[in-house]
Amino acid sequence: MNYPPEPTGISPYTGALAAGLAARGHETRALTTHPHYPDWRIRAGYGQWSRNENIDHVAVERLLHYVPRQPRRISRLLSEVSFGLRLALRSWGRPGAVVAVSPALFSSAIAYASARLRYRSVPFIVWVQDLYSQGLAEFDGRESAGVRLARVVERWLLGRADRVVVIHDRFVPRVRDDLGVSADRISVIRNWTHLPPIPEVDVAAARAGFGWSEGEKVVLHCGNMGVKQGLENVIEAARLAAQRGEHVRFVLVGDGSERARLQKLGAGIPTLQFLPPLDSQDFPAALRAADVLLVNERPGVSEMAVPSKLTSYFSAGRPVLAATDPLGITAEEVRAAGAGVAVQSGAPDVLLDAAIALVADPERAAAYGESAQRYRETVLDADFAIDRFATLVSTLASAAPAAAAVGPATQEPPMPALPA
């Protein structure tokens, strides 16, 4: 459901994988939506019933689907189902392998059912970016009917996929034990840093351009402003900083379904700033010019996902502060990278004190930044990850019998790779 030119979230990875497969000799086709994330509005110039493009040697077909203005539980389900139905009604050619990205879980499940009706033996790979049912359970705080439905669908889909690719080792026991996928069908391929190495930045000029004064310390949060991020915590930390007279500025960069509400909540707080999504030049400059890079998650979020912003943060050479479950997957990733510190989510005073402590110790902050960059250059190398994915696709496709399409699709030429 997410593909470039969407600037954030899963899109940079799906686009880079498709382009990477094409660069490695796979004829690659992407069936996707019109760009609509993170503001949940189809971008100007898009919105046709279908639209064909060629991006980085990938044949991209965009299918119009339902985009809810307020992406709540039922509306998001309808959005996924509408995309899944569009997929089911399109010709896929004769693929050598199909890669479906979850989330979206329900459109991926429809895609799987469609693939099995069309073809006898084409390998079907599910690339799990977030654990869908786990995420719902963490939001609900209980075993609700929605959680049970999502778990049934997730077990059904992952249990039937030829391979399940997860983005972190911590996902493996969840997928194996909770969702019943045998260990030999699970592969771990880490998400990578999708930004090129950040060039040297004139920090003083960048800070002046963003309106940051020389004496204040900037704590920067980039990316989606949704429910999962729990950014009320940052608003209250900024309010507390103003009340205490601290020279700290909390900056929220990006867009999302909660932005308007957050701006209203934070109106009049002098230590709080909102910036729109930044372009490819200003975004790395903002990362370099900030003093601390912030990940904030809603209380209860623990195991569902690894925030994609971390891969960008690690490129910047700045310390990372994670307000999250200290025992959760995000905190573990920050500690594994030696990139910064994790504190309990939902505690504005703790967040503010941790930020002040980080900026008060420049040597410690610099060490965190250097460690994060080393982690980015080794563990999060893009070529290594995409090479592994390309090998996986090739191995599964070559081991399967030739694709046998049902009906008119047999008249179309082979299509060796299809990210759905």
Side-chain angles (χ1 to χ4, degrees):
M1 286 186 71
N2 302 106
Y3 201 83
E6 290 180 356
T8 189
I10 295 172
S11 167
Y13 302 107
T14 56
L17 176 62
L21 291 173
R24 288 159 176 79
H26 292 272
E27 187 177 356
T28 308
R29 179 182 178 196
L31 291 175
T32 185
T33 66
H34 293 277
H36 63 278
Y37 183 85
D39 50 352
W40 292 92
R41 184 186 297 110
I42 293 176
R43 181 176 290 197
Y46 291 87
Q48 303 84 359
W49 182 247
S50 63
R51 171 176 171 148
N52 293 298
E53 300 174 308
N54 189 291
I55 303 175
D56 295 328
H57 305 290
V58 177
V60 179
E61 182 172 3
R62 299 189 184 277
L63 306 175
L64 185 64
H65 81 303
Y66 166 59
V67 178
R69 191 66 194 97
Q70 293 295 326
R72 304 307 186 200
R73 189 69 52 86
I74 297 300
S75 60
R76 289 191 73 153
L77 173 61
L78 292 174
S79 179
E80 291 188 28
V81 169
S82 71
F83 178 51
L85 293 175
R86 290 299 316 274
L87 289 174
L89 295 172
R90 296 302 296 169
S91 172
W92 294 5
R94 297 185 63 190
V98 178
V99 180
V101 184
S102 181
L105 172 65
F106 291 92
S107 60
S108 295
I110 294 171
Y112 175 82
S114 179
R116 286 298 170 252
L117 287 173
R118 297 171 194 241
Y119 313 109
R120 297 190 185 97
S121 56
V122 172
F124 194 95
I125 302 162
V126 180
W127 187 15
V128 176
Q129 291 283 328
D130 293 354
L131 293 173
Y132 202 102
S133 58
Q134 179 67 28
L136 289 180
E138 291 180 356
F139 278 127
D140 289 356
R142 58 190 176 87
E143 189 74 4
S144 65
V147 171
R148 290 193 293 272
L149 172 62
R151 186 169 292 122
V152 167
V153 174
E154 201 164 27
R155 284 181 65 92
W156 178 85
L157 173 63
L158 301 189
R160 284 161 176 76
D162 296 280
R163 188 63 59 92
V164 176
V165 177
V166 297
I167 64 170
H168 200 277
D169 295 295
R170 188 113 161 211
F171 284 5
V172 173
R174 294 280 182 180
V175 171
R176 183 191 63 222
D177 301 337
D178 298 348
L179 300 174
V181 180
S182 59
D184 62 336
R185 290 192 295 112
I186 304 172
S187 297
V188 179
I189 300 179
R190 297 295 306 270
N191 277 354
W192 52 89
T193 297
H194 54 82
L195 290 179
I198 298 177
E200 290 301 318
V201 170
D202 185 335
V203 171
R207 289 175 67 93
F210 294 124
W212 306 340
S213 68
E214 184 176 343
E216 65 186 346
K217 302 302 181 180
V218 174
V219 181
L220 183 74
H221 180 283
C222 291
N224 184 39
M225 299 184 194
V227 176
K228 174 192 165 188
Q229 285 71 37
L231 292 172
E232 302 86 352
N233 186 48
V234 182
I235 302 293
E236 295 310 313
R239 193 187 311 278
L240 184 60
Q243 292 170 354
R244 287 169 34 177
E246 302 286 359
H247 295 293
V248 176
R249 179 191 293 252
F250 287 87
V251 181
L252 300 179
V253 177
D255 207 341
S257 61
E258 294 290 294
R259 177 171 173 139
R261 187 181 68 83
L262 291 167
Q263 285 182 296
K264 184 176 180 180
L265 183 65
I269 300 176
T271 51
L272 178 67
Q273 180 184 13
F274 286 84
L275 291 175
L278 301 176
D279 61 25
S280 59
Q281 180 175 350
D282 286 341
F283 179 65
L287 296 181
R288 286 275 199 188
D291 296 285
V292 176
L293 302 177
L294 175 64
V295 181
N296 192 89
E297 294 181 320
R298 171 181 167 174
V301 171
S302 176
E303 300 292 331
M304 63 176 286
V306 183
S308 59
K309 62 174 61 68
L310 282 178
T311 59
S312 300
Y313 284 3
F314 292 163
S315 296
R318 292 292 181 266
V320 176
L321 173 57
T324 183
D325 181 346
L327 300 179
I329 193 170
T330 299
E332 180 179 303
E333 184 70 356
V334 171
R335 287 193 293 265
V341 297
V343 298
Q344 183 62 51
S345 58
D349 57 333
V350 174
L351 170 58
L352 176 60
D353 289 343
I356 292 171
L358 266 178
V359 298
D361 190 343
E363 290 186 6
R364 179 183 174 217
Y368 282 141
E370 292 169 3
S371 180
Q373 285 183 314
R374 285 194 299 272
Y375 194 77
R376 174 247 189 255
E377 293 163 1
T378 53
V379 177
L380 303 182
D381 179 69
D383 286 336
F384 177 72
I386 296 173
D387 281 344
R388 289 192 62 202
F389 220 120
T391 299
L392 173 63
V393 170
S394 297
T395 300
L396 291 175
S398 62
V406 178
T410 57
Q411 305 302 314
E412 299 192 35
M415 190 68 68
L418 169 62

